[in-house]
Amino acid sequence: MIATTAFSRRLITKQYQLCRSPILVKRTSSNTTSTDAVKEAAIKADIGKSFTERNPFLFQLGVATAKTSAADIMVQVVVEKKKIDELD
């Protein structure tokens, strides 16, 4: 039990130290301020992400709209027995 507790403490301490390590940002020119460098790094990090990762709200809005529209069309066609030309 003592060995497990000591191992857990070392693991947690190591993870905490990794989280607190400073992030190094390479400056491209002498005129670039630190905030510009951070913005450039953020833009470069977003390049590899898909649309759903960059815009989760818009993606879920589209999914919910499509799902609701499909359910409405299904109810009108199956339950109300309307033809496709008669849909609201």
Side-chain angles (χ1 to χ4, degrees):
M1 182 74 179
I2 294 172
T4 306
T5 305
F7 177 73
S8 296
R9 285 184 189 158
R10 275 187 278 149
L11 186 63
I12 291 170
T13 304
K14 185 179 280 189
Q15 289 175 349
Y16 179 72
Q17 289 171 348
L18 288 174
C19 291
R20 294 202 46 171
S21 64
I23 298 173
L24 301 176
V25 178
K26 181 180 177 183
R27 288 188 156 195
T28 56
S29 67
S30 59
N31 297 347
T32 306
T33 63
S34 62
T35 55
D36 291 340
V38 170
K39 288 178 184 176
E40 288 176 17
I43 291 170
K44 288 179 182 176
D46 277 349
I47 290 173
K49 292 184 178 181
S50 66
F51 176 79
T52 58
E53 292 174 328
R54 285 181 282 137
N55 303 305
F57 180 77
L58 286 176
F59 177 72
Q60 287 300 321
L61 184 67
V63 168
T65 303
K67 182 174 66 170
T68 304
S69 299
D72 183 45
I73 290 170
M74 186 184 76
V75 167
Q76 288 185 34
V77 170
V78 174
V79 176
E80 297 175 3
K81 306 266 191 233
K82 289 185 178 180
K83 294 180 181 176
I84 293 180
D85 298 335
E86 301 171 346
L87 295 178
D88 293 333

